[in-house]
Amino acid sequence: MSNTHAQDGRTHLPLQDRIPSSKAREIFRRIRQKHEISKNDLLTKSGLTVSTLTRVLEELSAAGLIEESGFGASTGGRRPILYRTRASYGYCFGLDISRTTSRLAIVDSAGQKIDSISWTMTEHMTPSALIDYVVEQIQLWIAKYRIPHEQCIGLGIGAVGTLDRFTGIIENPQWFYAPGWNDVPIGAELEHRLRIPVLLDNGANTAIIAESWSNRTKGVRHMLYVHAGVGLRSAMMADGKLIHGATDMEGSLGQMIIQADGIPHRTPGGNYGCLDSYATIYAIEREAISKLRTGRPSRLQSVIHLGEAVTFRHVIEALHQQDTLATEIVSQAATYFGIGLANLLNVLHPEKVILGGPLMTSNDLFFYTATQTAIRRTYHYPSYQVVFSKGNYGEEAIAIGAALLVLDNLTSRQEA
């Protein structure tokens, strides 16, 4: 998915060819990591000679990738010139493909969000339907913001797995409401339709890219991201680098066994007593239906219309009304989630944990119950301290991170 062609017939350069010099890629990467940075700091950190750095900065400026942003504080001599990424160099699109809601965002080359839109993933949202919506919206944005094709840097996709990020194929995801989501060549199809480079990765990975970007000046090196919704997804950064396994393990967190003789998994081959069966939207809905069938009184009976099945939305609505049963069900799921989270902390020891997804954003009860449970079960607490957060991007983290994935690839080393 690297060599694409523009709509006017011109070849669209692969992402890494936009900055052909390895020294220029390294300097641009350093500038991107700061809001602004002085030439002296770049000289110290890069190890380049003054003449080489000057030439590289001129190369990046001439290409429109960076710009001067003023002068820094003087340390006794001339005030140093500051450099920053030039926001108008180009634009990247980021697509979040999730089971309940999918989202598209556009960011500029400085990583600032310009616009976003979301779609509910109903039983009618097949791959072809979503692709049509995405293509149409990107074309509308290109017209609205008057973006020349050469300034469309690329599209990143953060998707539910399993997937193959090298071939751009969503392989075998589970629990979509619409049919047709197996073996979808999403990358090739969108490259063909849009004529820009397309990159695919796990949605949890793109979310942690976004949250790492928002923390880039704070020195956070080891970060864990967990997305809790219809399923459970996780990603990890160690020493500032995203960890990829030998294969896409998008749903592996949900298979963590927390009760060996527990509930059977909802799909064949799943583990008995795994976290997915206790701490997901599915688990909450199953528990609510079970409790109502035993005659438990609840406001759920008043928020469900005649003939409707109990859904997560109904549980949250009852929770907002301080319903005892809804509070009990959500607290129980959050406690199980916290146990699974403690297991991750005891193995990975991140500095910061970002918790995202519908279970975290719909109500504070789940977040606080889960984090307090995890803290009480974390080994070496309180000497080992971890920061929990819902993140800076919230529901847009996957889409924003997918767009940032494209920008990151401008400075990636080309694989042999």
Side-chain angles (χ1 to χ4, degrees):
M1 294 192 301
S2 57
N3 293 309
T4 59
H5 299 274
Q7 291 172 342
D8 59 5
R10 292 174 297 172
T11 299
H12 195 296
L13 285 175
L15 292 170
Q16 294 156 332
D17 288 353
R18 280 180 171 262
I19 312 175
S21 160
S22 60
K23 290 185 176 65
R25 287 198 297 271
E26 174 62 18
I27 294 302
F28 183 60
R29 185 188 65 80
R30 292 186 180 278
I31 293 173
R32 279 193 67 226
Q33 288 300 311
K34 303 289 184 179
H35 295 300
E36 50 188 13
I37 188 170
S38 71
K39 184 175 181 179
N40 288 341
D41 285 342
L42 287 170
L43 194 65
T44 300
K45 294 176 180 179
S46 69
L48 299 177
T49 64
V50 174
S51 60
T52 299
L53 178 60
T54 300
R55 176 178 56 78
V56 169
L57 290 171
E58 289 174 350
E59 177 185 336
L60 291 170
S61 296
L65 285 153
I66 64 171
E67 61 187 4
E68 295 180 5
S69 59
F71 294 92
S74 173
T75 56
R78 288 183 177 182
R79 295 174 62 193
I81 297 174
L82 299 176
Y83 293 91
R84 67 185 177 193
T85 304
R86 184 167 169 261
S88 60
Y89 167 75
Y91 301 86
C92 298
F93 306 98
L95 175 60
D96 163 15
I97 301 178
S98 294
R99 298 177 179 101
T100 56
T101 303
S102 287
R103 191 179 307 271
L104 182 69
I106 176 174
V107 306
D108 62 26
S109 49
Q112 301 165 324
K113 190 190 84 169
I114 305 299
D115 213 335
S116 68
I117 188 174
S118 63
W119 301 279
T120 301
M121 297 296 284
T122 67
E123 65 273 17
H124 304 294
M125 193 65 84
T126 61
S128 60
L130 181 62
I131 288 171
D132 286 344
Y133 281 122
V134 169
V135 171
E136 179 183 12
Q137 186 59 50
I138 288 177
Q139 291 171 342
L140 287 172
W141 281 341
I142 288 173
K144 177 181 180 180
Y145 298 110
R146 299 179 181 180
I147 303 173
H149 190 271
E150 61 270 17
Q151 286 187 283
C152 294
I153 300 174
L155 166 68
I157 305 171
V160 170
T162 56
L163 54 83
D164 186 328
R165 61 191 179 94
F166 299 105
T167 61
I169 295 175
I170 298 176
E171 296 179 325
N172 187 32
Q174 296 176 316
W175 311 314
F176 273 98
Y177 296 115
W181 279 98
N182 290 336
D183 298 319
V184 180
I186 191 82
E189 179 64 23
L190 283 167
E191 271 201 356
H192 174 72
R193 296 278 296 273
L194 295 168
R195 303 298 181 182
I196 59 176
V198 175
L199 301 175
L200 174 68
D201 207 335
N202 185 299
N205 287 343
T206 66
I208 204 172
I209 287 171
E211 296 300 343
S212 176
W213 171 259
S214 70
N215 285 273
R216 66 191 183 281
T217 61
K218 300 176 183 177
V220 179
R221 304 294 295 169
H222 306 282
M223 183 183 293
L224 172 68
Y225 174 85
V226 182
H227 185 279
V230 174
L232 299 173
R233 298 189 261 173
S234 63
M236 181 71 189
M237 275 190 171
D239 198 26
K241 297 179 181 179
L242 181 64
I243 296 175
H244 283 105
T247 183
D248 177 64
M249 301 298 288
E250 187 267 345
S252 59
L253 172 59
Q255 291 300 314
M256 177 191 293
I257 299 171
I258 58 172
Q259 190 171 334
D261 59 347
I263 299 170
H265 194 247
R266 51 179 146 163
T267 58
N271 287 325
Y272 275 74
C274 66
L275 189 59
D276 182 275
S277 297
Y278 295 89
T280 57
I281 287 177
Y282 157 78
I284 288 174
E285 291 176 343
R286 184 203 63 227
E287 194 68 14
I289 292 169
S290 174
K291 296 297 185 185
L292 289 175
R293 284 176 177 170
T294 63
R296 286 286 300 274
S298 171
R299 289 180 181 269
L300 278 167
Q301 292 150 335
S302 64
V303 299
I304 299 170
H305 298 297
L306 185 63
E308 275 190 321
V310 180
T311 67
F312 178 66
R313 176 180 60 82
H314 295 132
V315 176
I316 295 303
E317 187 176 342
L319 184 64
H320 289 158
Q321 297 177 21
Q322 299 182 329
D323 177 65
T324 301
L325 179 59
T327 301
E328 175 188 316
I329 292 170
V330 172
S331 297
Q332 176 181 280
T335 299
Y336 278 118
F337 181 88
I339 293 170
L341 183 58
N343 290 335
L344 287 178
L345 298 181
N346 289 330
V347 172
L348 300 174
H349 302 104
E351 302 165 82
K352 189 167 187 176
V353 177
I354 309 295
L355 300 175
L359 288 178
M360 301 300 167
T361 59
S362 58
N363 189 277
D364 288 338
L365 177 63
F366 194 99
F367 176 85
Y368 289 114
T369 303
T371 53
Q372 290 304 306
T373 301
I375 287 171
R376 290 194 298 269
R377 289 167 170 78
T378 299
Y379 193 55
H380 285 315
Y381 178 81
S383 59
Y384 163 57
Q385 294 284 337
V386 61
V387 176
F388 295 103
S389 170
K390 291 185 181 182
N392 292 313
Y393 289 106
E395 295 178 347
E396 296 188 325
I398 294 176
I400 297 295
L404 293 173
L405 174 66
V406 176
L407 290 173
D408 287 349
N409 270 264
L410 290 174
T411 55
S412 296
R413 293 179 180 274
Q414 296 199 38
E415 297 182 7

